Each structure stands twice: as structure tokens, then as C-alpha cells.
Amino acid sequence: MSRKNQTLGEFIIENQSSFKYTSGELSRLINSIRLAAKVVNHEVNKAGLVDIIGAVGDTNIQGEDQQKLDVYANEKFIQTLKNRNIVCGIASEEEDSFISINSQDENNQNKYVVLMDPLDGSSNIDVNVSVGTIFSVFRRVSPVGGPVTIDDFLQKGNKQVAAGYIVYGTSTMLVYTTGDGVNGFTLNPAIGTFYLSHPKMTFPKDGHIYSVNEGNYIHFPQGVKNYIKYCQMEEGDRPYTSRYIGSLVSDFHRNMIKGGIYLYPKSSKNSNGKLRLLYECNPMAFLAEQADGKASDGFTRIMDIEPTELHQRVPFICGSKNMVEKAEEFMRNA
Ligand code: AHM
Ligand code: MG
């Protein structure tokens, strides 16, 4: 049961029983992410004050070194999840390898691992444009109680038990799924509480927005070039509108609300594109499918791709179902 204006805390408690593993562990995990999100949000909102309170590399008034926001976000999310002893392992865009938590403690019965991009949209951080946090949750496959292994993280996206993002935009929202639809919560900054503002979010089947970095056009595969030309063609409900923020979370969020497609294809410069399978594409693909949308690499469903390494990159096409299918048709026929 969900109702508008319900707080995220209430929503988590009331919906716990609808989740197939009901130990409460996943609820506590979402709660920790909610907490870390508020801390990071506070810092992101201060970013514009950097010239006044000190630039990165300076020492602030408490004698602490000022940090880059992405490093700060990484530390806050890891610290929160570690302190509350909720997960057994974490992988992050900011860390070369995965982190095993309490692997020495035989009483550690935690079953979940989290993969995350703590602050995505790095080129937008310093220029007051929306950025986001992305997270993906799996049940471990190695035995509970022992240290986590790489296999706990290299799972196909279709094994995810939860995924979501936080968008630090004109307002801050936390959007997540546990496999039963997608719900969006908006932070009331005055009292620090997230409220259910967007219950059961869905992509419109069709849309009029395409989001791609067209500066790379010359390097794109022919199928993608043909699809972009199709978007620009004067015919029927086209040309579509071009909107590209350069923050995956924000571009995805807008497209889910308005209807649209996001593309980060491979190019002659990056043979696998740019985005990371495990903590960027998989969680967004899970959300997309839970919201009636679609996500593929142009040929294969993102969530069916077998991961081979932690920081693996894949081409990514995601958004309104009919639009993604049209783009795939162009790729197949090129
Ligand atoms: P990042 O993890 O370094 O921030 O890169 C990911 C971001 C996405 O949020 C965004 O969609 C894309 O990179 C933009 O890349 P580009 O500037 O090449 O268009
Ligand atoms: Mg990123």
C-alpha cells in the first residue's frame, strides 16, 4: 500500500512484507542509503560556496582538508553502510577493487552487496548542474559468514534485488525499485524528510526526446547515425527534441517522466562506450524495465549481459520501449 505524502521511512516499513526476502535487511539497507543521501545532498548544495569557504585542496575552518565532492560522496556512502553493519561488500566507481566488510567476524550474517557510483556526472559537479548517485543491490552468492568474492559482484543485472538513484537537482529525489515497480520520493530540505511524490513511475511507451552526445556523431556506428537522422527527420511526430544534460541520472529521470531515449553508444574512440555495466547501466536498466521502459546495448538486453570485470563498460540505450526498439531496429539493419 502506498499513498502520496507518505514518508520514505513509512513506505519502507509498510512495503517490507511485499518483498520476497522479509528479513528486514534490505529495508535497513535502503534506510542507510536514504541517510547517506541526505548527508551528500547537504554537501552538494554547498558546492557553489566553494569560492567563499575554500577550494578543493584548501583546509577549512575546522582544520579539515576540503575534498572533491565525488570523493566525499564515496566516503559517506561507504562509511554509512559500514557503520550500520548492513552489507557484506561494496564496489564503487571510486574504488579500484571491491571492499569486504567484517570478513573476519563469523557473526556477520549480512547477505547483500552494494555496487554504486557515488556521484555520477562528474563534468557537472563544479558548474551547478544536476548530478546523481546510482546504486545496485545483489544477494551474495558466496557462503554467508565468510569474506565476499568477486563472484558476488559479477552477477548479471537480472539478479538484482534492488536498484535506484538519487538526483541532486532543483529538488533532491530518491527513486528506487525492489522489483515491484518504481517509486520516487522528494526531499523536503527544511525538515530533512523524503516524501512519496511520484508513486509507480512509468516511462510513456513513446516519447519525443532523444539524449545523446552528438559531438561524438562522427565516431558513432552507422546504425546509431541513421537513428539520429531518423530522430531529426520531419515526418509524423518528428523531429524529436534533443536534450542532453550529461548526467545519466538526470537525463534518465527526465526521459522517464516525459518519454524519451538516452544513448551512449560505442564509438571509433571507445569500443565499449563509456558507461559502466555494474553500477551505471544495470541499475538504470532494472529501473527502466520496472517502469515499462527498456534498456539494451543495441542488440542484447543489458540485464542479460554476463559481467567479466568490475569496471566493465558497455554501450547503453535506454528509455521509452518503442523508441529503444526503433533504435535497435536501426542498429540491426545497418
Ligand atoms: P562519470 O561517471 O565520469 O561521471 O561519467 C558518466 C557520465 C554520465 O552521467 C553521462 O551521461 C556521461 O558520462 C556523459 O559523458 P560525455 O561527457 O562523454 O557525454
Ligand atoms: Mg559515473
Side-chain angles (χ1 to χ4, degrees), residues 6 264 311 318:
Q6 198 173 21
Y264 210 109
H311 299 291
C318 177

Side-chain angles (χ1 to χ4, degrees), residues 93 117-122 132 134 248 274-276 279-280:
E93 174 166 342
D117 185 350
L119 210 58
D120 182 65
S122 42
I134 309 173
L248 172 61
K274 174 184 184 189
L275 301 180
R276 316 294 184 136
Y279 42 79
E280 291 176 330

Side-chain angles (χ1 to χ4, degrees), residues 202-211 240-241 243 251-262 318-321 323:
T202 50
F203 274 92
K205 285 269 171 293
D206 284 293
H208 295 100
I209 296 172
Y210 72 105
S211 316
Y240 296 152
T241 297
R243 287 283 182 275
D251 280 311
F252 178 101
H253 188 73
R254 182 208 49 242
N255 289 349
M256 179 160 61
I257 291 172
K258 294 195 164 180
I261 183 170
Y262 173 96
C318 177
S320 291
K321 196 159 183 280
M323 296 182 90

Side-chain angles (χ1 to χ4, degrees), residues 70-140:
D70 41 6
V71 178
Y72 177 88
N74 186 48
E75 279 178 12
K76 284 299 158 199
F77 275 97
I78 292 177
Q79 217 176 58
T80 310
L81 293 168
K82 262 186 173 171
N83 288 352
R84 306 184 125 212
N85 192 14
I86 281 169
V87 292
C88 50
I90 304 172
S92 162
E93 174 166 342
E94 298 288 332
E95 306 282 335
D96 290 341
S97 188
F98 62 87
I99 300 168
S100 190
I101 296 171
N102 291 339
S103 53
Q104 312 304 329
D105 179 1
E106 284 173 19
N107 297 323
N108 175 16
Q109 295 298 306
N110 294 337
K111 294 183 289 291
Y112 295 105
V113 294
V114 171
L115 298 93
M116 62 173 183
D117 185 350
L119 210 58
D120 182 65
S122 42
S123 65
N124 285 326
I125 294 175
D126 296 330
V127 291
N128 211 351
V129 175
S130 298
V131 288
T133 296
I134 309 173
F135 63 92
S136 163
V137 182
F138 289 97
R139 277 172 82 88
R140 66 185 301 176

Side-chain angles (χ1 to χ4, degrees), residues 144-292:
V144 173
V148 284
T149 70
I150 185 71
D151 293 340
D152 295 319
F153 298 93
L154 298 187
Q155 299 192 53
K156 284 187 188 174
N158 59 31
K159 294 274 191 288
Q160 287 173 105
V161 294
Y165 60 78
I166 297 121
V167 55
Y168 310 97
T170 42
S171 56
T172 295
M173 281 190 69
L174 192 155
V175 176
Y176 80 101
T177 182
T178 52
D180 184 25
V182 176
N183 290 287
F185 300 81
T186 303
L187 180 68
N188 178 342
I191 50 176
T193 303
F194 282 102
Y195 289 94
L196 180 62
S197 52
H198 296 64
K200 294 280 173 218
M201 298 179 83
T202 50
F203 274 92
K205 285 269 171 293
D206 284 293
H208 295 100
I209 296 172
Y210 72 105
S211 316
V212 60
N213 186 341
E214 278 184 74
N216 296 327
Y217 181 88
I218 195 81
H219 301 293
F220 286 153
Q222 194 55 46
V224 174
K225 286 181 177 167
N226 294 346
Y227 179 68
I228 292 174
K229 283 290 157 231
Y230 166 87
C231 293
Q232 296 170 341
M233 207 181 284
E234 181 111 49
E235 197 182 320
D237 59 349
R238 287 168 285 132
Y240 296 152
T241 297
S242 165
R243 287 283 182 275
Y244 189 70
I245 297 168
S247 281
L248 172 61
V249 167
S250 315
D251 280 311
F252 178 101
H253 188 73
R254 182 208 49 242
N255 289 349
M256 179 160 61
I257 291 172
K258 294 195 164 180
I261 183 170
Y262 173 96
L263 305 99
Y264 210 109
K266 69 175 185 180
S267 70
S268 51
K269 289 203 296 196
N270 301 315
S271 56
N272 292 315
K274 174 184 184 189
L275 301 180
R276 316 294 184 136
L277 173 61
L278 291 178
Y279 42 79
E280 291 176 330
C281 304
N282 263 344
M284 294 320 240
F286 190 20
L287 288 159
E289 289 194 11
Q290 283 294 316
D292 297 344

